[in-house]
Amino acid sequence: MKNKFSNQLALISLAISAFAIGSTEFISVGLLPLIKDAFDVTISLAGLTVSLYAIGVTVGAPILTPLTNNMKRKKVLILIMIVFIIANVCAGMATSFTLLLAMRVLSAFSHGVFMSIATTIAADLVPPHKRSSAIALMFTGLTVATITGVPFGTWVGQHYGYEMSFYTIAIIGLISLIANISFVPKNLTEYKQAPIKKQLAVFKNKPLMIIYLITALGYGGTFVVYTYLTEILTHILGYETNSIVLILILYGVVVAIGNTLGGKLTNHAPTKALTIIFLLQAFTLLLVGFTLHFHAVGLVSILLMGLFAFMNVPGLQLIVVLFAERNSKETVNFASSLNISAFNVGITLGSVIGGFILNHFSLSFTPYFAFIMVMMASILMFVVNKNETTESLQTTC
């Protein structure tokens, strides 16, 4: 019982770290006007604080994670959070725009390695049949960051300067560092790590490659709509600006519920569960398209979209761990890091496609393109599930 409670505290510590990291990922979106004025740059140049961060996560996770393979995972976790704190403090103290960008990239490197390492730690802290729920709890920190962290950080920046936003995130990072030192077990199972050359063999693992594609399409599909959610709520559904904050908070709560529910649903037979989740997600996006011009019903559809937006995350991460373990436990961290990259590729892909639709069609077409992306993910997951026997996955679990 004591061990179970200790492991729960460890998972909460990881969730706090994920909250800090999730907050810093999107904080620049709300701070762009302030950064623009502070460094006398254009708004598009200020936008590099967002795009370079995403690139840093995408590239940094698979490159840096293998370099930490010979270190104990708790030490890696602590080192990551120390670098994260330093990067955010230096971002607040930056005297030039170039230095600010450099600190954003350094934060992104911490982000990528943390999410890949924390996923494997969370999965090892609980019995096999609860691994997806554990991953979901860790990812809850990330989802809560989108609900409260980013709006709060933006408010702090608007009232006390953008620097204070980065300092505040650094303080949250310090709290998570202390929690990780205190509660994450020292005796984590350490797997012998293969040389980098052997780690790269992951790219020859066809089932894993398909999962990465599914992650980019299925997770990224919702971002075709989500990227322009504020515009949809105001310009199409007709909600007042004052109502948007409350709606976004409600949306975030629903996202958190979906993330937790997704963890429970994918604890057993994850490929089968994800096939259904993606199918429901796709048809919910179609529903959003059909109801986009109906004030109340359209909002309900948007909230349903939020329910499924993160529901696939725990299962996708679990499947990557399971598939990698099946071939070689020595490549699990690296395989997990590649999926973190796939999530960020999905976010970028979704926002780019959304921008293309906005320029060539109209905002009301975004749900239909999102539907196509997620439906493709569902079909691919159906194929993966068909090729996998329930017995083989359960044995791996």
Side-chain angles (χ1 to χ4, degrees):
M1 189 73 178
K2 183 180 178 182
N3 189 52
K4 183 179 178 181
F5 179 69
S6 299
N7 288 344
Q8 196 71 11
L9 287 176
L11 288 172
I12 292 172
S13 301
L14 295 176
I16 295 171
S17 299
F19 174 81
I21 285 172
S23 296
T24 203
E25 179 176 15
F26 298 111
I27 191 66
S28 287
V29 175
L31 300 178
L32 286 187
L34 301 176
I35 292 172
K36 169 184 171 292
D37 294 339
F39 294 99
D40 192 26
V41 294
T42 64
I43 195 70
S44 59
L45 201 58
L48 287 175
T49 57
V50 179
S51 55
L52 282 183
Y53 189 99
I55 293 171
V57 176
T58 304
V59 176
I63 291 178
L64 297 177
T65 300
L67 299 179
T68 64
N69 280 337
N70 293 325
M71 299 173 62
K72 290 186 179 296
R73 286 188 289 173
K74 181 170 180 176
K75 287 186 177 179
V76 174
L77 198 66
I78 291 170
L79 179 61
I80 289 167
M81 293 315 299
I82 290 173
V83 172
F84 174 83
I85 293 165
I86 292 172
N88 279 282
V89 169
C90 290
M93 297 173 64
T95 53
S96 70
F97 185 64
T98 302
L99 181 58
L100 175 62
L101 289 179
M103 291 304 101
R104 290 292 291 163
V105 172
L106 186 59
S107 292
F109 287 164
S110 302
H111 179 140
V113 179
F114 170 83
M115 296 309 292
S116 56
I117 296 292
T119 294
T120 61
I121 292 175
D124 285 347
L125 287 173
V126 296
H129 65 282
K130 291 186 176 179
R131 295 175 97 181
S132 190
S133 290
I135 293 171
L137 177 56
M138 187 272 289
F139 268 93
T140 297
L142 203 60
T143 59
V144 171
T146 64
I147 306 168
T148 58
V150 175
F152 175 69
T154 302
W155 180 85
V156 169
Q158 289 172 342
H159 288 79
Y160 302 102
Y162 82 90
E163 301 93 340
M164 281 304 300
S165 296
F166 289 114
Y167 295 148
T168 302
I169 290 172
I171 291 171
I172 298 171
L174 179 61
I175 293 170
S176 71
L177 173 63
I178 295 170
N180 288 332
I181 292 172
S182 303
F183 300 121
V184 174
K186 294 180 181 178
N187 59 339
L188 290 169
T189 302
E190 301 294 341
Y191 303 111
K192 181 182 177 182
Q193 299 298 326
I196 292 178
K197 185 177 179 181
K198 189 175 179 181
Q199 303 263 3
L200 295 177
V202 166
F203 290 105
K204 296 180 181 179
N205 188 327
K206 289 183 180 180
L208 271 178
M209 292 298 105
I210 294 173
I211 295 301
Y212 297 146
L213 178 59
I214 291 171
T215 295
L217 290 171
Y219 181 74
T222 302
F223 278 83
V224 177
V225 181
Y226 178 72
T227 304
Y228 302 97
L229 187 56
T230 301
E231 285 81 358
I232 289 173
L233 290 171
T234 52
H235 298 140
I236 298 181
L237 290 176
Y239 284 91
E240 297 292 331
T241 305
N242 295 337
S243 305
I244 298 301
V245 175
L246 292 176
I247 292 173
L248 291 178
I249 290 174
L250 182 58
Y251 180 89
V253 171
V254 174
V255 166
I257 293 171
N259 177 61
T260 303
L261 187 59
K264 294 183 182 298
L265 292 173
T266 54
N267 273 321
H268 305 282
T271 55
K272 182 179 179 181
L274 277 171
T275 303
I276 297 170
I277 288 172
F278 279 129
L279 196 61
L280 292 172
Q281 182 184 355
F283 282 104
T284 299
L285 287 164
L286 201 59
L287 181 65
V288 170
F290 290 155
T291 61
L292 211 51
H293 296 281
F294 298 93
H295 189 72
V297 180
L299 178 59
V300 173
S301 299
I302 291 288
L303 294 177
L304 280 174
M305 180 185 80
L307 183 68
F308 291 105
F310 269 63
M311 193 178 284
N312 53 53
V313 173
L316 287 168
Q317 280 296 94
L318 176 63
I319 288 173
V320 167
V321 171
L322 294 178
F323 281 15
E325 282 181 345
R326 181 185 299 170
N327 281 8
S328 172
K329 288 189 175 182
E330 298 174 343
T331 61
V332 170
N333 287 348
F334 183 60
S336 178
S337 71
L338 288 174
N339 207 41
I340 299 302
S341 294
F343 281 120
N344 282 273
V345 168
I347 292 172
T348 305
L349 185 64
S351 60
V352 168
I353 290 175
F356 174 82
I357 296 166
L358 208 60
N359 291 330
H360 294 83
F361 300 96
S362 73
L363 203 55
S364 58
F365 279 85
T366 53
Y368 301 113
F369 281 80
F371 163 78
I372 293 170
M373 286 179 66
V374 178
M375 182 56 77
M376 289 171 65
S378 182
I379 293 170
L380 286 172
M381 186 56 75
F382 174 79
V383 173
V384 171
N385 183 58
K386 191 175 180 180
N387 292 336
E388 293 293 319
T389 63
T390 304
E391 183 182 352
S392 67
L393 273 181
Q394 296 307 326
T395 301
T396 310
C397 289

